[in-house]
């Protein structure tokens, strides 16, 4: 059977694909950062609480307080890339989602339970045994969700897997024969732990600058987690790169060239972020780390295009131009940024008044 | 015909989406009306210089944050997940046409989250006027979210001029946009009152409890007349054929219309009864019952709207089984459903594969609305006692004046025979 004949016909997009791809990349980056902070700080708090018990209270309280809001932000920031990926790659994404429909539907239920558990964990301020159990289950659920997401993305970009639908129509399909599946999943998870560590360091650095005591050990702890897991992630990253089929990246093509350049640039950027973190320059370290994540996000989008090249390129998407709604969206987005800054300043000032 | 079909048998026919959607619309309307409820109740507390009412607002806000941010937000994501699994082709049309409406809604959703968290954390920390301003920002962004989503939902019922122009604004500002927007706004206020009454009944002080329960009852009674007026306007705006389908021809609709009418009466009655002084052991269960009435109320409305759209998923554009109305004639001309469908295994029907092909035709054409043995549109019940000739006659008259609520059968005569054979085999199992 010709696999290409199973790829659904794409609907027309309302603006040039470049706009949508830029929005997809930008919002994926934001989502990944929020998701990394959520999962990573949850994992670290869990490990530290099990190892240090009561001594970890400042960290566990801070993380317990922030997790429900990190979750809210992760979900919100996940909506936009989910939207833009459907506009550009819907014919692949909907198909893969239907093929693994039961698992995909479970994501929603797991999210609901994990979110509720994080609130319950917050109520217990992260220290009681019950509260820790809530966090453990929530983190496990988030790990299952990341597994399902990775599955969907793999299935989406490997239509060769799709024909198994005819043997399994009830929505239980998982990806098979994808050599990069595990390294990619582990690469993302290690990145989450690293960014979680960095987020902890940034939070306590912020408190240190406000004059709070007992912050140094947590800044050090966060930085160490960041540095170690980033170091491990270099190894996983090379494993990931090594498993990508050799004929996939076409270096004579601009997308392949951009991918290679991004990987080459992101490595030193990540190294600089680790050096800065270990020398106590937390904010600059965060800047470098975010740059590395952004570069890797763009690289990831290039890789997807390379995977789908036998079936699709963005140029073939039909277009029915209507730009005014996008202009309105961008204006609202800028207004929302302004409002966000104003409200956060207000919150910051109100805390200062209180303290 | 473009996408594979998730083979749900028992849970098919809309059960999944109904479960997720009814809960979501209830909470999401609460997240809109409840925003206004919070701000106005805070203003009331300040004006009356009542620490007790202010304490109630704080407690209600905590409840509001958890319910709307956890269950409201995630069931919203859940709807999206569910419909994209059940009808990817329709979701694709919505997403491609309204991507920037969804994107605007996403930004508003972000402002909602941020402002609500700040509102919750800054009681006593901010100047009351500034704190209320944050509350207003929350409410306005939540209401604007409703406005945008209302446009897209209305589009599915009455796409209006979009069918000809394909223009974003024609689709969003469709014929039912305005009445539906007012209707949902008033409904949101009523639901805010229902939840407000529930939390009020947990107040320990008798006087404060009574005051707040009465206050909540006002939220039911004041917008009620306007709700009915907008419902009437909504009905009057429907194109005549659609209006006739919803109110006269759609089988099973009477239950939901009756449910809506009974709940309307109960909302008013409940509002009046709740205003009577009574002990907490009576008012609390009554408030909870009223909450269930509210859930049934909005559930009935959404069922009427969803069912009224049949046989389409986007009225006049795409049938519930994802076939475009303009493509229907060409399906037969091009060899039938199995030939046209991208995701069919049996492209031709032979003596050996008749049953398997019939099952595939059922999956492609019927499963989007019918379950097999499930509670919604159970095909076993529909075909119970029918002989093959009777089934054939029904399939042949689908989409005609006899059965306008079903899409015309898109397949060939051979496919019709295979489908009947499969349906008969289901009866014999």
């Amino acid at each position: 059977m010709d696999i290409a004949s199973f790829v659904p016909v794409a609907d027309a997009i309302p603006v040039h694909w470049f706009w949508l791809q830029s929005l997809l990349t930008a919002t994926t980056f934001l989502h990944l950062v929020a998701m990394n902070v959520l999962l990573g700080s949850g994992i670290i708090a869990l490990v530290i609480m099990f190892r240090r018990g009561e001594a970890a209270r400042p960290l566990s309280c801070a993380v317990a307080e922030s997790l429900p809001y990190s979750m809210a932000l992760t979900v919100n920031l996940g909506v936009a890339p989910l939207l833009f990926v459907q506009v550009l790659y819907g014919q692949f994404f909907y198909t893969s989602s239907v093929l693994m429909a039961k698992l995909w539907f479970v994501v929603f239920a797991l999210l609901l339970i994990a979110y509720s558990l994080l609130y319950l964990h917050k109520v217990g301020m992260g220290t009681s045994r019950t509260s820790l159990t809530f966090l453990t289950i929530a983190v496990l659920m988030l790990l299952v969700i990341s597994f399902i997401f990775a599955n969907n993305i793999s299935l989406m970009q490997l239509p060769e897997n799709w024909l198994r639908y005819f043997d399994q129509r009830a929505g239980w399909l998982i990806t098979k024969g994808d050599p990069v599946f595990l390294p990619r999943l582990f690469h993302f998870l290690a990145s989450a732990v690293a960014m979680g560590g960095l987020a902890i360091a940034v939070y306590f650095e912020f408190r240190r600058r406000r004059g709070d005591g007992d912050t140094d050990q947590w800044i050090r702890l966060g930085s160490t987690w960041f540095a170690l897991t980033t170091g491990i992630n270099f190894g996983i990253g090379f494993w990931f790169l090594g498993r990508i089929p050799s004929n996939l990246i076409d270096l004579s093509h601009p997308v392949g060239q951009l991918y290679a350049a991004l990987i080459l640039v992101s490595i030193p950027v990540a190294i600089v972020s680790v050096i800065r973190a270990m020398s106590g320059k937390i904010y600059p370290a965060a800047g470098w780390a975010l740059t590395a994540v952004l570069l890797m996000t763009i690289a990831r989008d290039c890789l997807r295009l390379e995977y789908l090249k036998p079936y699709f390129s963005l140029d073939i998407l039909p277009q029915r131009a209507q730009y005014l709604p996008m202009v309105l969206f961008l204006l609202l987005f800028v207004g929302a940024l302004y409002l966000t800054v104003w409200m956060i300043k207000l919150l910051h000032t109100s805390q200062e008044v209180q303290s | 015909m473009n996408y594979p079909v998730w083979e749900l048998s028992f849970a098919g026919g809309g059960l999944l989406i109904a479960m997720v959607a009814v809960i979501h619309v209830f909470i999401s309307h609460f997240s809109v009306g409840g925003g206004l409820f919070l701000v106005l109740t805070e203003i009331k507390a300040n004006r009356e210089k009542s620490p007790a009412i202010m304490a109630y607002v704080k407690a209600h806000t905590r409840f509001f944050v958890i319910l709307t941010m956890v269950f409201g937000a995630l069931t919203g994501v859940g709807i999206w997940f569910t419909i994209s699994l059940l009808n990817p082709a329709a979701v694709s049309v919505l997403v491609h046409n309204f991507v920037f409406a969804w994107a605007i809604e996403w930004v508003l959703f972000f402002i909602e989250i941020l402002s609500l968290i700040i509102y919750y954390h800054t009681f006593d920390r901010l100047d009351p006027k500034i704190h209320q301003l944050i509350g207003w920002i929350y409410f306005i962004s939540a209401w604007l979210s409703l406005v945008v989503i209302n446009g897209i939902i209305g589009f599915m019922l009455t796409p209006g001029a979009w069918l000809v122009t394909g223009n974003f604004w024609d689709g969003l500002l469709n014929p039912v946009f305005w009445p539906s927007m007012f209707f949902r706004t008033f409904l949101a206020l009523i639901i805010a009152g229902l939840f407000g009454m529930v939390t009020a009944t947990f107040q320990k002080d008798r006087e404060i409890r009574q005051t707040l329960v009465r206050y909540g009852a006002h939220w039911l009674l004041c917008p009620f007349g306007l709700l009915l007026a907008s419902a009437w306007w909504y009905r009057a705006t429907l194109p005549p054929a659609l209006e006739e389908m919803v109110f006269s021809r759609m089988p099973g609709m009477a239950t939901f219309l009756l449910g809506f009418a009974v709940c309307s009466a109960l909302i008013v009655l409940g509002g009046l009864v709740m205003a009577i002084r009574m002990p907490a052991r009576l008012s609390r269960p009554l408030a909870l019952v009223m909450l269930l009435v509210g859930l049934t109320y909005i559930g009935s409305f959404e069922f009427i709207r969803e069912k009224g759209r049949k046989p389409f998923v986007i009225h006049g554009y795409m049938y519930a089984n994802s076939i475009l109305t303009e493509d229907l004639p060409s399906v037969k001309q091009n060899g039938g459903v199995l030939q046209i469908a991208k995701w069919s295994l049996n492209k031709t029907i032979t003596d050996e594969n008749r049953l398997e092909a019939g099952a595939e035709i059922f999956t492609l054409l019927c499963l989007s609305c019918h379950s097999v043995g499930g509670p919604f549109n159970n095909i076993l019940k529909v075909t119970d006692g029918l002989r093959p000739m009777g089934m054939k006659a029904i399939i042949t008259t689908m989409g005609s004046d006899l059965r306008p609520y079903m899409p015309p059968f898109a397949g060939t005569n051979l496919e019709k025979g295979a489908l009947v054979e499969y349906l008969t085999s289901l009866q014999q199992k």
Side-chain angles (χ1 to χ4, degrees):
Chain A
M1 277 189 240
D2 177 18
I3 293 163
S5 70
F6 287 86
V7 177
V9 179
D11 285 313
I13 51 175
V15 293
H16 190 272
W17 61 260
F18 177 79
W19 289 100
L20 295 161
Q21 181 61 60
S22 304
L23 287 165
L24 171 60
T25 306
T27 54
T28 303
F29 162 70
L30 294 175
H31 172 63
L32 287 178
V33 171
M35 182 275 284
N36 284 350
V37 172
L38 168 72
L39 184 59
S41 60
I43 290 174
I44 294 171
L46 204 56
V47 173
I48 299 300
M49 272 304 293
F50 274 118
R51 281 177 55 187
R52 297 196 195 173
E54 269 301 299
R57 180 177 271 273
L59 174 73
S60 59
C61 285
V63 172
E65 184 69 35
S66 71
L67 282 178
Y69 303 132
S70 301
M71 181 83 175
L73 207 59
T74 304
V75 170
N76 174 271
L77 294 174
V79 167
L82 199 60
L83 172 68
F84 294 121
V85 84
Q86 289 180 38
V87 183
L88 287 175
Y89 305 97
Q91 66 274 39
F92 298 95
F93 185 74
Y94 294 128
T95 304
S96 59
S97 302
V98 170
L99 300 190
M100 52 176 288
K102 283 205 170 111
L103 289 168
W104 195 235
F105 187 72
V106 165
V107 167
F108 148 65
L110 290 176
L111 276 173
L112 198 60
I113 299 166
Y115 204 168
S116 309
L117 289 173
L118 290 179
Y119 262 105
L120 292 172
H121 172 65
K122 184 185 168 210
V123 172
M125 284 321 282
T127 50
S128 68
R129 189 177 286 269
T130 322
S131 173
L132 263 184
T133 310
F134 290 148
L135 180 60
T136 309
I137 301 171
V139 165
L140 286 174
M141 286 182 166
L142 293 177
L143 288 173
V144 174
I145 291 169
S146 57
F147 172 79
I148 297 174
F149 258 88
N151 236 301
N152 199 350
I153 298 303
S154 170
L155 208 52
M156 167 192 168
Q157 56 197 29
L158 287 172
E160 301 88 288
N161 260 306
W162 290 3
L163 296 187
R164 288 191 290 127
Y165 164 78
F166 293 112
D167 305 318
Q168 171 55 274
R169 300 186 190 214
W172 285 116
L173 217 67
I174 57 168
T175 188
K176 262 188 185 171
D178 180 4
V180 302
F181 177 74
L182 279 182
R184 191 180 56 219
L185 179 62
F186 289 139
H187 193 55
F188 272 84
L189 293 180
S191 162
V193 178
M195 292 302 284
L198 191 58
I200 289 168
V202 166
Y203 172 74
F204 282 99
E205 172 70 10
F206 170 73
R207 279 180 48 175
R208 188 184 69 77
R209 290 185 183 208
R210 282 182 46 178
D212 291 0
D214 188 31
T215 52
D216 286 353
Q217 64 159 321
W218 305 117
I219 295 171
R220 241 186 348 264
L221 179 129
S223 305
T224 309
W225 273 87
F226 170 65
L228 279 178
T229 38
T230 304
I232 295 169
N233 217 7
F234 275 118
I236 300 173
F238 286 119
W239 176 30
F240 180 8
L241 281 176
R243 299 300 290 268
I244 294 172
S246 53
N247 56 349
L248 192 76
I249 309 296
D250 180 2
L251 289 175
S252 64
H253 191 266
V255 176
Q257 290 162 359
L258 179 61
Y259 175 76
L262 287 164
I263 296 293
L264 285 176
V265 175
S266 62
I267 292 170
V269 170
I271 292 171
V272 173
S273 73
V274 171
I275 294 170
R276 301 295 266 177
M278 291 317 287
S279 54
K281 306 270 188 263
I282 303 302
Y283 286 176
W288 285 103
L290 289 175
T291 309
V293 174
L294 179 62
L295 294 173
M296 297 303 274
T297 309
I298 303 170
R300 180 179 172 277
D301 287 345
C302 292
L303 191 60
R304 179 190 293 136
L305 284 171
E306 293 293 88
Y307 266 102
L308 294 177
K309 210 162 49 185
Y311 313 99
F312 170 77
S313 77
L314 289 166
D315 290 322
I316 65 165
L317 283 174
Q319 192 190 329
R320 197 160 55 185
Q322 295 188 59
Y323 276 85
L324 183 58
M326 185 180 76
V327 173
L328 285 179
F329 159 68
L330 292 174
L331 287 174
L332 182 73
F333 187 78
V334 172
L337 281 181
Y338 176 79
L339 205 57
T340 301
V341 172
W342 178 74
M343 284 196 286
I344 287 174
K345 269 189 182 165
L346 210 59
L347 182 67
H348 184 48
T349 322
S350 78
Q351 281 168 343
E352 281 180 344
V353 168
Q354 176 103 39
S355 60
Chain B
M1 299 288 107
N2 222 351
Y3 287 93
V5 179
W6 179 15
E7 286 200 3
L8 285 166
S9 47
F10 181 83
L15 176 65
L16 273 188
I17 191 67
M19 274 163 44
V20 183
V22 171
I23 294 170
H24 175 71
V25 291
F26 193 45
I27 300 174
S28 63
H29 280 73
F30 173 49
S31 75
V32 177
L36 187 64
F37 183 88
L38 287 178
V39 183
L40 294 187
T41 315
E42 186 189 346
I43 291 172
K44 177 183 169 69
N46 281 325
R47 196 186 300 140
E48 295 176 16
K49 297 189 174 29
S50 167
I53 296 179
M54 188 56 90
Y56 165 76
V57 178
K58 286 179 197 169
H60 188 71
T61 305
R62 189 183 313 127
F63 166 75
F64 184 81
V65 165
I66 293 175
L67 189 67
T68 60
M69 277 181 52
V70 178
F71 292 94
L74 286 183
T75 48
V77 174
I79 288 188
W80 202 8
F81 271 50
T82 314
I83 57 171
S84 64
L85 294 174
L86 297 177
N87 204 328
V91 176
S92 179
V93 171
L94 297 181
V95 161
H96 283 81
N97 279 279
F98 298 113
V99 53
F100 290 107
W102 294 110
I104 285 169
E105 202 275 333
W106 164 64
V107 175
L108 294 167
F109 177 31
F110 178 79
I111 300 172
E112 275 178 61
I113 291 174
L114 189 67
S115 55
L116 186 57
I117 291 172
I118 293 176
Y119 182 80
Y120 173 53
H121 281 283
T122 53
F123 278 103
D124 306 327
R125 290 190 187 187
L126 287 176
D127 174 83
K129 290 263 182 262
I130 301 283
H131 187 255
Q132 284 157 25
L133 178 61
I134 300 287
W136 282 114
I137 290 172
Y138 169 78
F139 166 65
I140 291 167
S141 53
W143 182 74
L144 288 174
S145 278
L146 178 147
V147 171
V148 174
I149 297 299
N150 167 67
I152 297 172
I153 294 173
F155 162 82
M156 293 171 79
L157 186 65
T158 55
W162 177 89
L163 289 171
V164 179
T165 64
N167 183 280
F168 173 90
W169 298 107
D170 286 336
L172 195 75
L173 304 174
N174 56 81
V176 298
F177 176 85
W178 294 107
S180 171
M181 188 195 78
F182 281 106
F183 179 82
R184 288 183 182 280
T185 303
F186 297 130
L187 196 54
L189 299 182
I190 288 175
I191 291 170
L194 290 170
F195 275 101
M197 287 197 307
V198 170
T199 51
T201 59
F202 283 85
Q203 293 296 303
K204 291 203 170 63
D205 183 279
R206 203 173 154 192
E207 278 306 311
I208 287 294
R209 186 175 65 237
Q210 191 54 43
T211 305
L212 288 169
V213 169
R214 275 192 184 158
Y215 174 72
H218 276 94
W219 283 74
L220 267 63
L221 299 173
C222 294
F224 186 76
L226 295 167
L227 178 85
L228 285 191
S230 55
W232 177 84
W233 181 18
Y234 200 147
R235 179 175 177 169
T237 319
L238 294 174
L242 185 58
E243 199 261 357
E244 191 192 353
M245 176 72 89
V246 173
F247 292 95
S248 315
R249 306 201 63 176
M250 179 63 74
M253 191 67 104
T255 313
F256 299 109
L257 290 169
L258 182 67
F260 188 78
V262 169
C263 288
S264 294
L266 288 176
I267 291 280
V268 175
L269 191 65
L272 292 171
V273 170
M274 289 301 284
I276 300 169
R277 184 177 290 270
M278 63 178 97
R281 65 173 188 280
L282 260 182
S283 64
R284 197 173 298 160
L286 201 55
L288 288 168
V289 169
M290 287 302 295
L291 203 60
L292 282 178
V293 170
L295 181 66
T296 315
Y297 199 36
I298 199 163
S300 301
F301 164 69
E302 298 296 350
F303 267 100
I304 292 168
R305 187 186 53 75
E306 284 282 320
K307 247 178 128 50
R309 212 172 48 209
K310 294 284 156 69
F312 302 100
V313 63
I314 298 169
H315 206 277
Y317 179 73
M318 182 186 276
Y319 287 109
N321 53 22
S322 303
I323 297 178
L324 296 180
T325 48
E326 65 179 17
D327 287 350
L328 189 73
S330 65
V331 176
K332 267 187 201 138
Q333 287 161 14
N334 289 308
V337 172
L338 294 172
Q339 280 290 333
I340 291 288
K342 277 187 176 283
W343 286 82
S344 58
L345 193 59
N346 301 283
K347 291 293 178 191
T348 50
I349 300 174
T350 62
D351 285 343
E352 288 74 35
N353 75 356
R354 280 183 73 79
L355 216 53
E356 214 179 295
E360 272 202 308
I361 295 163
F362 178 78
T363 300
L364 291 163
L365 296 183
C366 317
L367 206 56
S368 54
C369 294
H370 289 283
S371 68
V372 183
F376 281 15
N377 291 328
N378 180 5
I379 194 72
L380 300 178
K381 220 169 169 179
V382 175
T383 54
D384 188 28
L386 284 175
R387 293 179 174 213
M389 281 304 285
M391 287 187 207
K392 253 189 189 162
I394 288 177
I395 293 170
T396 307
T397 53
M398 280 173 11
S400 74
D401 212 33
L402 276 175
R403 289 182 179 77
Y405 44 86
M406 293 185 77
F409 181 72
T412 61
N413 278 334
L414 202 57
E415 289 177 330
K416 195 185 292 178
L419 175 62
V420 167
E421 213 161 296
Y422 173 69
L423 292 175
T424 310
S425 76
L426 282 180
Q427 287 294 342
Q428 289 160 354
K429 273 183 187 168

